[in-house]
Amino acid sequence: MPKFPDKPSSEEEKADGPGPAGNPTGSLEPSERSVRKGIRQSSSPHRGDTPQSSPPRFVSVEELMETAKGVTNMALAHEIVVNGAFQVKPPQPAEGSLEKRVKDIMHRAFWDCLEAQLKEDPPMYDHAIKLLGEIKETLLSFLLPGHRRLRNQIEEALDLQLIQQQAENRALDIGKVAEFIIGMMGMLCAPSRDEEIKKLRDITGIVPLFRAIFQVLDLMKIDMANFALSSIRPHLMQQSVEYERKKFQEFLEKQPNALDFTWKWLRDTTDTLLSCEREDKASFSGAAGPESTPLHPVTVHNHAYLRLLKWDHASCPFPETLLMDQSRFLEMQLELEQLSMVAAVLLIVYNSTGPALSGLPDVMGRLKGIVLVLLAEMHTISFSAEEAFATIGEKLCAEVGGCLSQHGFPLLSTEQQSSLKGQIAAVQLPDNSIRRLIDSRIQNFLLGFLESGPQKCTPVLPSGLAPIQRELEVIAVKLSRLVNYNKLVFAPYYQKMLQDIPGGEGWPEPGPSTG
């Protein structure tokens, strides 16, 4: 953290609310792409069986630009609140790109011009004084209103009129000015920048020194922006629900049919739950089945969120109210697929070896580590499931054999090892019974976590999931936060849609915002 807490400077204010071309960081790119993709999908004339809320209307270019800016700002505010690790990052043009080449050429030309001016006889300080003015404004922006002494020191040492007069009279000591700047930067920078400040003192050339000073100042601006974000995050949380709802309503007024996919998501979930209920009643053949109870909106919605963890992102449009979190749901979906396979493999191993391994220390951790390493690339194009699971079978059999031998237990026979490898290889199949069992237990645990609410205890972990408990709880907490926040923002829209869906009820009034 910076040594002097500060309010957001002008640079930080830009980071807090950029327009479409002012995104200060690459962190929001997936969210922005998701939102813009949703806009394009919502505007498509081919909607399948999704309802048309109202006839299309024409909008001006100015309206579209204003809407895009509102969506971008909403995505930024959402990212700051939802992503606790969100930070402003310096823009980095891609290596070899036209943008980077142009930037490098312009910077080189500027510094070459400055060096040429300083080598003249007498030296020309026009460019150098302009740079000192920029440095002065940057240092002042780091100060709080109460830092009067430091402000006076900067104003006095970097008095541009006095520096101009000294330059004209050949009395300017540019090295002394640079020394003051470095000392002030050392006082104002975050502790993590102390090493960069120390390196500045070792630079002897004036032009390389000023170039390095500006590079460190840019890093200090980023540090201050991130410190400001961490300071305002608790206050932004209180305001973000109303802000996002307002911005989404403005977007909805420009795109009246922009909730069609959300409506279909809730309707399909309701239909699935009602179908399961009818099947359960039919299973009571010849007996009095349970009375039909109306679906509670919270039940519908919790199951709807779980469906997003099994979503076909390639062919099914994502609900509009969750577009900014689509990348997060996809990330959790991929993690759960991997954890499901890990737990299935370990369950097979323990069932095959009996109680022998259950009491041995650290065996579960070693076996889990082997499987995780070999499945680390399972979602890449080059991944071969057949080869990976064959290797998993070989390595686990060897590891299990070593543990059994070390602790005096009978070794697995050749037939047992062959059977174990075959069962492990079968886990790669989507319809594998053990994998489906583990997956069902994971879904039940996550559902229980959503139903427990923020003030209730964590649900009991189903058997077979102990090896992945830590990772599963991390995902459950992340999912719960996303769900609770999304419910708070879009509760009025969900309430109306569930009232219009057969079998659904209205949504209860939204409660207070929770972190």
Side-chain angles (χ1 to χ4, degrees):
M1 289 294 103
K3 297 175 183 176
F4 295 102
D6 199 0
K7 295 180 181 179
S9 66
S10 58
E11 289 292 327
E12 295 154 8
E13 290 171 358
K14 293 178 184 177
D16 194 33
N23 188 2
T25 174
S27 301
L28 278 185
E29 290 179 359
S31 299
E32 284 198 44
R33 284 198 298 268
S34 298
V35 172
R36 297 181 188 278
K37 178 182 177 184
I39 295 175
R40 292 195 299 269
Q41 290 174 334
S42 299
S43 305
S44 174
H46 304 291
R47 303 298 301 275
D49 60 350
T50 55
Q52 296 291 334
S53 302
S54 62
R57 70 180 183 90
F58 295 100
V59 294
S60 65
V61 175
E62 290 77 11
E63 287 179 302
L64 288 175
M65 292 298 293
E66 187 64 27
T67 301
K69 181 178 180 180
V71 169
T72 301
N73 289 341
M74 181 175 66
L76 178 59
H78 182 87
E79 189 74 17
I80 293 172
V81 172
V82 174
N83 183 5
F86 174 84
Q87 286 191 331
V88 178
K89 298 178 182 178
Q92 295 290 347
E95 195 67 34
S97 65
L98 176 61
E99 180 184 1
K100 181 169 177 55
R101 291 200 301 270
V102 171
K103 181 179 178 181
D104 291 343
I105 291 172
M106 293 181 64
H107 281 204
R108 187 162 51 249
F110 175 83
W111 294 112
D112 288 347
C113 180
L114 175 63
E115 187 170 17
Q117 284 192 345
L118 295 178
K119 287 182 177 179
E120 292 184 16
D121 189 18
M124 292 283 293
Y125 289 103
D126 294 348
H127 275 23
I129 292 175
K130 290 180 180 178
L131 292 180
L132 291 176
E134 293 184 27
I135 293 173
K136 176 182 177 180
E137 293 302 317
T138 302
L139 292 176
L140 290 174
S141 71
F142 293 151
L143 302 180
L144 283 169
H147 294 152
R148 296 186 182 89
R149 184 177 61 83
L150 292 177
R151 187 176 300 275
N152 291 336
Q153 289 180 7
I154 295 173
E155 294 283 3
E156 181 179 347
L158 298 179
D159 185 338
L160 298 185
Q161 291 185 352
L162 178 60
I163 291 175
Q164 180 68 44
Q165 293 175 4
Q166 292 174 341
E168 293 173 354
N169 296 322
R170 300 190 182 187
L172 176 61
D173 187 348
I174 194 71
K176 184 177 180 181
V177 175
E179 183 179 348
F180 169 81
I181 292 172
I182 296 172
M184 189 59 64
M185 290 171 62
M187 295 178 63
L188 299 176
C189 72
S192 60
R193 301 300 174 194
D194 288 344
E195 189 63 30
E196 281 92 341
I197 299 297
K198 182 179 179 181
K199 291 179 181 178
L200 291 178
R201 303 184 188 277
D202 299 331
I203 301 176
T204 55
I206 294 298
V207 173
L209 176 58
F210 271 87
R211 191 168 188 171
I213 284 174
F214 271 92
Q215 292 174 348
V216 177
L217 284 175
D218 287 341
L219 295 176
M220 290 174 62
K221 292 177 184 178
I222 297 297
D223 293 339
M224 293 300 294
N226 286 323
F227 178 71
L229 285 178
S230 65
S231 301
I232 68 172
R233 182 174 280 113
H235 307 287
L236 184 60
M237 175 71 76
Q238 300 171 7
Q239 307 294 330
S240 59
V241 171
E242 291 77 9
Y243 176 77
E244 282 197 41
R245 191 182 298 164
K246 175 185 175 183
K247 287 298 180 183
F248 190 83
Q249 180 60 40
E250 292 174 359
F251 167 66
L252 197 60
E253 290 171 1
K254 302 292 191 303
Q255 299 279 342
N257 61 340
L259 282 173
D260 287 358
F261 295 130
T262 302
W263 190 92
K264 185 177 186 300
W265 166 58
L266 294 176
R267 187 200 64 187
D268 291 348
T269 303
T270 303
D271 291 344
T272 300
L273 291 175
L274 291 174
S275 176
C276 292
E277 183 179 348
R278 286 193 293 268
E279 291 178 2
D280 290 341
K281 290 179 64 177
S283 64
F284 289 86
S285 56
E291 294 184 3
S292 178
T293 56
L295 294 175
H296 194 277
V298 175
T299 301
V300 174
H301 223 58
N302 286 339
H303 281 84
Y305 282 110
L306 286 182
R307 287 185 61 225
L308 298 179
L309 298 175
K310 293 288 187 179
W311 202 260
D312 184 357
H313 293 264
S315 59
C316 296
F318 214 66
E320 296 90 344
T321 55
L322 287 147
L323 278 173
M324 288 187 292
D325 292 317
Q326 182 173 6
S327 60
R328 293 185 177 89
F329 277 96
L330 176 58
E331 180 183 356
M332 288 188 289
Q333 179 176 341
L334 299 181
E335 290 177 3
L336 288 172
E337 289 178 5
Q338 184 189 58
L339 291 176
S340 176
M341 290 186 178
V342 171
V345 168
L346 296 181
L347 181 60
I348 290 171
V349 171
Y350 274 75
N351 286 341
S352 300
T353 56
L357 296 180
S358 59
L360 300 182
D362 300 329
V363 175
M364 180 185 297
R366 293 203 302 272
L367 298 179
K368 174 184 172 183
I370 293 172
V371 182
L372 281 174
V373 168
L374 293 174
L375 293 182
E377 305 296 326
M378 64 174 290
H379 295 112
T380 61
I381 299 177
S382 60
F383 179 78
S384 172
E386 185 174 350
E387 294 179 4
F389 277 93
T391 305
I392 290 173
E394 292 287 345
K395 289 188 173 296
L396 291 193
C397 280
E399 183 71 24
V400 168
C403 291
L404 294 176
S405 175
Q406 180 181 357
H407 293 85
F409 291 103
L411 298 179
L412 296 177
S413 65
T414 304
E415 292 78 10
Q416 288 176 318
Q417 292 187 38
S418 177
S419 174
L420 178 58
K421 293 176 183 177
Q423 292 181 65
I424 291 175
V427 171
Q428 65 182 290
L429 303 175
D431 60 346
N432 177 262
S433 58
I434 298 180
R435 178 176 168 182
R436 291 176 63 183
L437 174 65
I438 291 294
D439 188 68
S440 174
R441 291 176 178 177
I442 290 176
Q443 295 292 309
N444 289 334
F445 175 76
L446 294 177
L447 180 62
F449 211 96
L450 292 181
E451 292 176 343
S452 66
Q455 305 300 329
K456 300 179 182 178
C457 60
T458 303
V460 177
L461 188 74
S463 60
L465 302 186
I468 60 171
Q469 178 177 359
R470 181 175 57 84
E471 294 87 350
L472 199 56
E473 288 179 349
V474 170
I475 294 176
V477 171
K478 188 188 306 183
L479 174 65
S480 180
R481 287 176 177 171
L482 285 178
V483 168
N484 292 333
Y485 184 76
N486 185 265
K487 287 178 180 178
L488 289 172
V489 175
F490 296 104
Y493 304 100
Y494 296 144
Q495 180 182 23
K496 186 178 184 305
M497 282 185 281
L498 286 172
Q499 287 174 340
D500 297 336
I501 295 175
E505 294 183 357
W507 191 261
E509 289 298 320
S513 176
T514 59

